Amino acid sequence: MAGPRALLRQCPLLLPQDRHGTAYEGFVTAQGRNFHIRILLPVDLQLKNARIECSWRLKRILHGHRHILKQRLHSCPDLVSFMVELKTVLEIALKNTQDLHIPRPPEYYSCLVRDLEILGWNRVAYVDTGLTTVKLKAEDSCGRQHLITLKLNAKYPTEPPDCLVDFPVPFAVSWMPQNSLIDIHNQFLAALESLKEFWDALDEIDGKTWVLEPENPTRSATTRRIAIGNNVSVNIEVDPRHPNMLPECYFLGADHEVNPLRTKLNNNMHLWDPEVSLLQNLRELLGIDFPSRAVLEKSDFAKDCGICYAYRLEGSAPDHVCDDPRCGQPFHQACLYEWLQGLSTSRQSFNVIFGECPYCNK
């Protein structure tokens, strides 16, 4: 979970206005310019319910990107990630705003309309009224729907458009002045197929296990926190270029629960079979059956923090558990750290703090 220091590094001019972290005000910087912004979060700190207030100048610049920002609010795990996305969108918006002041010759429009007709309107999902933003749709070989957003500058087709995609890897367009939108669409389709095995692996996990985080994964998300049992889970990070290889695995839960799982993984990792699905490999290496979506509810694993009594805190679920087998109460890292800092009996050694469980006092 990203904290205040990470936010300060990304946006040094955006400062908290209260001790609860529900209000931030200051400036966001892009292309050497500062824009006033105010972010108001609900008590549960859910980004999807946040309210953003900004200057009229920033509002005008971001007007055509509101749908993207709304999507990012729903998908970003914390405020730091959202501010990084906001700055990226703002950079693109400023670039396109500058392009709007460049008169576009008639050839620009005739060339664009011709390219759209050659491509086929059935592949076009959206075109803005100024003919500067185009969204193309495509379906991969497994029937998954995808979008690519094109931001065209005044020198199109001499220069390629900026391309925005929901990919876990960078997407760069190979472009020459004689190219057209159909070349971009073909490259988009090829990139979709190169990521097929990655999305197949994660779709199987999303469909057959209880994923605790991310709550609504985007196609660019490479991590999944999968429920194993009561307050026990494993966080995996899959390499999108090598999705059939052993992923990074990090177990969360009480030591007496996760230590045997770590031992099994270390002892059996040589048995990993790239010809078998990622989920099946995890089952066999760990010697477990992940809880089935058909039998159990997510609420059986999504236990609230024992301090704030909420499940989500800045987009994150509880990730620390009391090691006492009779307790096993989960906590958010931020809640637990603040609680232990307030206890006179706690002690700290370097970056580790030791203290009593807020739930059972062990």
Side-chain angles (χ1 to χ4, degrees), residues 257-273:
E257 296 277 5
V258 302
N259 283 342
L261 294 172
R262 291 194 189 103
T263 301
K264 283 183 181 179
L265 181 64
N266 291 333
N267 291 342
N268 297 332
M269 62 173 57
H270 67 282
L271 301 174
W272 188 274
D273 184 358

Side-chain angles (χ1 to χ4, degrees), residues 148-214:
I148 178 170
T149 301
L150 309 179
K151 300 286 186 179
L152 295 97
N153 61 46
K155 295 183 180 180
Y156 177 85
T158 304
E159 294 183 0
D162 291 321
C163 301
L164 301 175
V165 293
D166 190 12
F167 279 7
V169 294
F171 176 70
V173 172
S174 177
W175 185 265
M176 298 185 70
Q178 64 268 29
N179 288 145
S180 66
L181 296 185
I182 197 164
D183 295 296
I184 292 180
H185 195 267
N186 287 337
Q187 293 178 51
F188 183 50
L189 284 172
L192 293 179
E193 290 311 300
S194 71
L195 292 166
K196 175 186 177 298
E197 291 184 352
F198 168 74
W199 286 322
D200 285 347
L202 292 185
D203 281 354
E204 183 184 20
I205 288 173
D206 292 338
K208 295 183 178 180
T209 71
W210 279 115
V211 174
L212 303 180
E213 294 181 284

Side-chain angles (χ1 to χ4, degrees), residues 104-116:
R104 304 198 177 205
E107 292 79 11
Y108 167 88
Y109 297 103
S110 61
C111 179
L112 178 57
V113 172
R114 183 199 66 212
D115 285 355
L116 289 171

Side-chain angles (χ1 to χ4, degrees), residues 36-219:
H36 183 260
I37 189 170
R38 189 164 183 248
I39 300 175
L40 301 174
L41 297 170
V43 177
D44 61 4
L45 302 179
Q46 290 290 306
L47 274 179
K48 63 183 179 181
N49 297 320
R51 191 167 86 248
I52 299 177
E53 301 172 355
C54 57
S55 63
W56 66 269
R57 183 176 289 105
L58 180 58
K59 188 178 294 186
R60 186 179 65 179
I61 293 171
L62 294 175
H63 178 73
H65 304 265
R66 292 172 63 183
H67 60 290
I68 297 177
L69 293 176
K70 188 174 181 180
Q71 179 192 47
R72 294 298 185 263
L73 276 174
H74 278 75
S75 61
C76 287
D78 50 54
L79 185 57
V80 178
S81 302
F82 173 71
M83 291 307 299
V84 172
E85 296 274 7
L86 174 61
K87 289 172 72 174
T88 301
V89 172
L90 183 54
E91 291 278 354
I92 295 172
L94 283 170
K95 180 180 177 182
N96 290 329
T97 301
Q98 293 167 359
D99 288 339
L100 290 176
H101 298 296
I102 303 174
R104 304 198 177 205
E107 292 79 11
Y108 167 88
Y109 297 103
S110 61
C111 179
L112 178 57
V113 172
R114 183 199 66 212
D115 285 355
L116 289 171
E117 289 178 344
I118 294 174
L119 176 67
W121 289 99
N122 60 316
R123 297 175 177 173
V124 179
Y126 169 83
V127 180
D128 71 335
T129 54
L131 295 182
T132 59
T133 301
V134 177
K135 289 186 179 182
L136 306 180
K137 55 187 177 181
E139 185 178 288
D140 63 27
S141 57
C142 291
R144 290 178 286 249
Q145 299 293 323
H146 304 269
L147 288 176
I148 178 170
T149 301
L150 309 179
K151 300 286 186 179
L152 295 97
N153 61 46
K155 295 183 180 180
Y156 177 85
T158 304
E159 294 183 0
D162 291 321
C163 301
L164 301 175
V165 293
D166 190 12
F167 279 7
V169 294
F171 176 70
V173 172
S174 177
W175 185 265
M176 298 185 70
Q178 64 268 29
N179 288 145
S180 66
L181 296 185
I182 197 164
D183 295 296
I184 292 180
H185 195 267
N186 287 337
Q187 293 178 51
F188 183 50
L189 284 172
L192 293 179
E193 290 311 300
S194 71
L195 292 166
K196 175 186 177 298
E197 291 184 352
F198 168 74
W199 286 322
D200 285 347
L202 292 185
D203 281 354
E204 183 184 20
I205 288 173
D206 292 338
K208 295 183 178 180
T209 71
W210 279 115
V211 174
L212 303 180
E213 294 181 284
E215 198 167 19
N216 298 299
T218 62
R219 287 295 176 194

